[in-house]
Amino acid sequence: MKAPEVAVLPGDGIGPEVTRAAVRVLRAVRGDIECSEGLVGGAALERGLTAYPAETRDLCDRADAILFGSVGLPQYDGKPLPERPEFALFLLRRDYELYANLRPVQVFPGLEDASSLKPELVRGLDLLVVRELTGGIYFGQPKEQRTVEGVDEAVDTMFYRAPEIERIARVAFEAARARRRKVTSVDKQNILETSRLWRRVVDAVAREYPDVRIDHLLVDNAAMQLVRRPSEFDVIVTENMFGDILSDEAAILTGSIGTLPSASLGTRRVAHGRFGLYEPIGGTAPDIAGKNVANPTAAILSAALLLRYSFGDDANAACIESAVERTYADGLRTSELARATPALPTQGFTEAVLERL
Ligand code: NAD
């Protein structure tokens, strides 16, 4: 049987630094997993290749999962999308139909003060945003700018088909079963037809999960409740654009973008789970790249998600998560979170996590 394999695509900026940390942690718990590196984003463009070269695609096709850093370099800003590093992510999401974006948002004990909300509002916060990633207004047609009778105009189209809603709803309900059994579906059904369909399909799926509580919130109210009573949420499921906005709002509750991992799951099945792409939610952070100060937590926790969803290995995923939690509980911090305490560099923080595995 083929050895389990992970395609490691570090990318640009802090991507290589934090991905290296994640690979060290992954290999410490699962020495049997082969990690093969590929070029992606600006790192590939700088070598005269495309942002997602054919060799990298072959590597991903072979692999059970992708551990991704981040892509994007300032010198490509303003270029058309196909010439930018970020085009690689677009192609990866499309090729592997990565329709389910999962973003767990957790405030680790000891980090409550880092949040922009009052510590008592975020203490123990642990929610999961499930965002539909391949449909909705970001992809619907027509989508264009045009001039009609001498006037410039533009159109985007929000479009959903019931099966797209059904499959993302299922991801949310399954996830809720392994958590506190509560799903909040977010839409704008007082205005949008796509939202009326969304609510109807989510309710139909909910009937298959009588053990999970379902609530519906309008997106404007959800945005408010996220900062008013965030700890009441368990799983939030929503369409692409609402999810884009709400998941960033949820992320900021934790105080550092450097702590938050994500999983993007596709339709492909692999030996022990689902094929997926795992990456920190933050970008390439050009302001701190190469300085060994980036927080590797998001990348390390992305490796934990990879084990859970693509390798069905909950035990080692939980082992990594608990090591990270203990590192914070012991007062250790990277520079963006350190206040009075001396900060650990990327590598030092990684070693602290490795010691606690
Ligand atoms: P960013 O997330 O890179 O940086 C925002 C701020 O957060 C910066 O101050 C940065 O230093 C800080 N930060 C981010 N990650 C951190 C970490 N691990 N530890 C400590 N601090 C961290 O967002 P941006 O500045 O808007 O984007 C920079 C580049 O990244 C752009 O080219 C953008 O297109 C790209 N980007 C890529 C992805 C991705 O690959 N999925 C996602 C977002 C942005």
Side-chain angles (χ1 to χ4, degrees):
M1 212 170 90
K2 164 183 163 315
E5 187 171 359
V6 171
V8 179
L9 311 185
D12 310 318
I14 61 166
E17 303 163 49
V18 296
T19 308
R20 210 174 299 132
V23 170
R24 283 182 72 190
V25 173
L26 182 63
R27 292 195 60 80
V29 294
R30 285 286 302 262
D32 60 320
I33 293 181
E34 207 172 293
C35 294
S36 318
E37 253 191 51
L39 287 169
V40 77
L45 291 169
E46 301 286 286
R47 286 172 175 77
L49 303 166
T50 58
Y52 181 42
E55 308 86 83
T56 303
R57 176 168 304 168
D58 291 345
L59 175 64
C60 294
D61 281 345
R62 258 197 342 259
D64 298 275
I66 302 170
L67 187 63
F68 196 88
S70 50
V71 284
L73 290 172
Q75 59 265 41
Y76 293 95
D77 288 350
K79 291 207 183 255
L81 182 62
E83 293 167 32
R84 291 166 56 110
E86 290 88 336
F87 193 46
L89 261 181
F90 175 86
L91 295 175
L92 279 158
R93 285 176 184 163
R94 189 198 65 188
D95 285 2
Y96 296 110
E97 215 180 331
L98 302 174
Y99 70 90
N101 185 230
L102 278 64
R103 284 193 185 186
V105 176
Q106 242 184 311
V107 172
F108 294 113
L111 285 188
E112 297 87 354
D113 285 344
S115 173
S116 44
L117 294 192
K118 293 185 195 113
E120 60 269 27
L121 280 180
V122 296
R123 186 160 293 120
L125 181 77
D126 178 10
L127 62 84
L128 174 70
V129 181
V130 177
R131 165 187 169 197
E132 202 290 323
L133 201 59
T134 50
I137 199 165
Y138 292 176
F139 294 94
Q141 294 293 337
K143 179 181 201 57
E144 62 182 355
Q145 294 190 42
R146 58 200 176 199
T147 305
V148 175
E149 292 170 4
V151 179
D152 291 346
E153 59 178 35
V155 60
D156 292 291
T157 306
M158 192 181 258
F159 179 80
Y160 269 108
R161 298 181 67 241
E164 292 172 288
I165 303 169
E166 193 181 319
R167 66 183 182 179
I168 192 76
R170 256 178 233 294
V171 171
F173 281 98
E174 291 293 333
R177 272 198 168 152
R179 298 171 48 95
R180 301 194 303 279
R181 294 175 184 260
K182 183 176 164 191
V183 169
T184 305
S185 172
V186 174
D187 61 36
K188 187 72 182 167
Q189 74 121 25
N190 51 344
I191 310 276
L192 299 175
E193 289 303 328
T194 41
S195 283
R196 288 189 195 117
L197 176 67
W198 180 277
R199 201 175 275 212
R200 183 152 56 80
V201 174
V202 169
D203 275 335
V205 174
R207 285 194 278 280
E208 293 171 35
Y209 296 85
D211 52 321
V212 178
R213 205 175 115 196
I214 172 77
D215 288 324
H216 297 278
L217 279 186
L218 294 177
V219 63
D220 35 357
N221 189 16
M224 277 195 291
Q225 299 308 329
L226 259 178
V227 288
R228 224 180 118 222
R229 46 175 190 99
S231 51
E232 286 184 25
F233 289 101
D234 180 16
V235 176
I236 297 174
V237 63
T238 190
E239 66 88 44
N240 202 344
M241 181 171 63
F242 298 161
D244 190 2
I245 299 166
L246 289 182
S247 57
D248 270 15
E249 187 191 357
I252 205 62
L253 301 174
T254 69
S256 170
I257 198 168
T259 63
L260 294 161
S262 76
S264 300
L265 306 180
T267 45
R268 192 174 133 201
R269 294 268 154 194
V270 287
H272 299 287
R274 308 168 63 147
F275 184 81
L277 180 148
Y278 302 85
E279 60 171 334
I281 72 154
T284 55
D287 51 336
I288 56 166
K291 296 183 179 157
N292 194 23
V293 296
N295 188 340
T297 302
I300 292 171
L301 293 177
S302 295
L305 294 180
L306 175 149
L307 288 175
R308 175 165 297 128
Y309 292 114
S310 291
F311 289 91
D313 186 354
D314 248 328
N316 280 312
C319 170
I320 294 175
E321 287 159 352
S322 124
V324 168
E325 190 171 329
R326 272 179 285 129
T327 307
Y328 282 113
D330 290 343
L332 303 176
R333 304 282 184 268
T334 43
S335 63
E336 92 287 9
L337 284 169
R339 292 197 172 165
T341 50
L344 286 177
T346 310
Q347 280 185 30
F349 192 88
T350 309
E351 264 137 39
V353 173
L354 285 165
E355 280 162 20
R356 287 164 179 77
L357 280 174

